[in-house]
Amino acid sequence: MSDQNIVLGDPKVEAVLERLHHAADRQILQLVLHYLPQLPRLLLGQGIHWNPARTHFYRDKYIPIERDQGQLLYLLARAINAQTIVEFGTSYGVSTLYLAAAIRDNGQGKVIGTEIIPEKVIQARKYIAEAGLAEFVDLREGDALKTLQDIDGPIDLVLMDGYPHLALDILRLLHPQIRQGGLVISDNVGTFKTALNPYVEFLQAPINGYRSSTLALKGGTELSIKVG
C-alpha cells in the first residue's frame, strides 16, 4: 500500500489521482524547456518571471500540486473539520480531489472551485465524478473575481493556485469571509516569487490578521492562518 492510500484511505480516489499525477509528470520536459531561458533567474532565487499577457502556454498544462502537498491539504482540511473550501485555479482537478475527499470524510460541505479554461472544467468534472466526489464539489467556470463574489461565509480553507497576478485580488475578495482560524494555502510562491511577492507580504504582515510561513514544498508553499 502506498503512502497516499494510507492518508486518503480510498483506492478509488487514489487511482484517479495517480493517473492525473502521472499525466502531469509527462509534461515536465515541456515545462523545463519552456522555462530554460529563465534559468539564471531561478539560480539567483528570483523565481520565474510571470507575464499575464502570455498565458496560452498553460492552457493544456496540469501544473498541479505535488503528492506531498496534496496529502498536506487533505490532513489540514481534516484537522480543522473544514466544511467550506475555496479553490482558486482548479485546472484538471488534482487538488480538488484531495480537498473533496477531506470534505466527504468530514461528513458534509463543499469545495467551491473556479477555473477559467472551459476545456479544463469539462475534464475536471469528469475526473471528480469518476472518483465519486461530485456531490462535494461546486466547480464554477469563468473569471474567479466574478465566480467567487457570492460565497456566503464562513470559509474554512482557501487554496490559492491560480494565475499569480490575480492572487492578491482574490485574497482580498475572500478575506472577509475567511473565519478566524481558517487556513490559506498558496502554491508556487517560490516559483513565481516576484509576481507573488506583494501577496506573500500581505499574508506575512501581522496587521492584516494572518500568521504565515513559507514551507519547503514544491519550491515554496505558503501556509497561513487567519488569527484576527
Side-chain angles (χ1 to χ4, degrees):
M1 181 179 289
S2 71
D3 289 343
Q4 269 82 344
N5 278 327
I6 294 171
V7 172
L8 296 182
D10 187 332
K12 184 177 182 179
V13 176
E14 180 62 24
V16 179
L17 276 169
E18 278 305 297
R19 196 169 77 245
L20 297 181
H21 277 301
H22 284 305
D25 291 343
R26 289 194 293 270
Q27 294 181 337
I28 289 176
L29 180 58
Q30 296 178 55
L31 294 169
V32 170
L33 293 175
H34 178 74
Y35 294 135
L36 192 59
Q38 299 200 51
L39 181 60
R41 290 180 56 88
L42 289 171
L43 294 176
L44 291 172
Q46 298 172 344
I48 294 168
H49 174 68
W50 174 260
N51 186 343
R54 300 184 65 184
T55 59
H56 182 77
F57 172 77
Y58 301 96
R59 293 188 66 83
D60 65 343
K61 302 301 184 295
Y62 283 77
I63 318 182
I65 59 168
E66 294 181 350
R67 292 166 177 82
D68 52 358
Q69 291 175 300
Q71 293 180 55
L72 178 64
L73 285 173
Y74 174 85
L75 293 171
L76 289 173
R78 292 299 310 277
I80 65 171
N81 193 33
Q83 307 294 306
T84 300
I85 297 175
V86 176
E87 177 186 48
F88 167 49
T90 295
S91 189
Y92 287 100
V94 173
S95 52
T96 318
L97 292 173
Y98 286 102
L99 295 170
I103 287 284
R104 178 200 59 192
D105 295 344
N106 285 341
Q108 63 179 335
K110 289 280 187 182
V111 178
I112 302 169
T114 184
E115 173 57 48
I116 198 169
I117 300 173
E119 295 83 1
K120 287 189 173 183
V121 173
I122 292 170
Q123 290 301 313
R125 286 176 175 155
K126 173 184 173 183
Y127 300 137
I128 291 163
E130 182 182 349
L133 296 171
E135 66 180 289
F136 303 103
V137 179
D138 173 10
L139 179 51
R140 303 176 179 185
E141 178 183 330
D143 181 348
L145 289 171
K146 298 178 180 179
T147 60
L148 299 180
Q149 282 182 345
D150 62 345
I151 296 177
D152 294 326
I155 297 170
D156 300 298
L157 188 152
V158 175
L159 174 62
M160 302 291 286
D161 195 16
Y163 291 153
H165 66 290
L166 297 176
L168 186 53
D169 289 337
I170 297 296
L171 179 61
R172 284 174 168 154
L173 174 67
L174 298 175
H175 172 76
Q177 304 298 337
I178 301 172
R179 69 168 173 86
Q180 187 171 356
L183 300 176
V184 179
I185 302 159
S186 314
D187 193 18
N188 295 318
V189 299
T191 304
F192 299 110
K193 186 173 182 179
T194 301
L196 285 171
N197 187 58
Y199 170 81
V200 173
E201 286 185 346
F202 180 92
L203 285 169
Q204 293 186 353
I207 193 172
N208 294 318
Y210 295 88
R211 295 295 182 270
S212 190
S213 180
T214 305
L215 307 181
L217 293 172
K218 199 183 176 183
T221 298
E222 197 73 13
L223 176 59
S224 314
I225 181 170
K226 189 175 184 181
V227 297

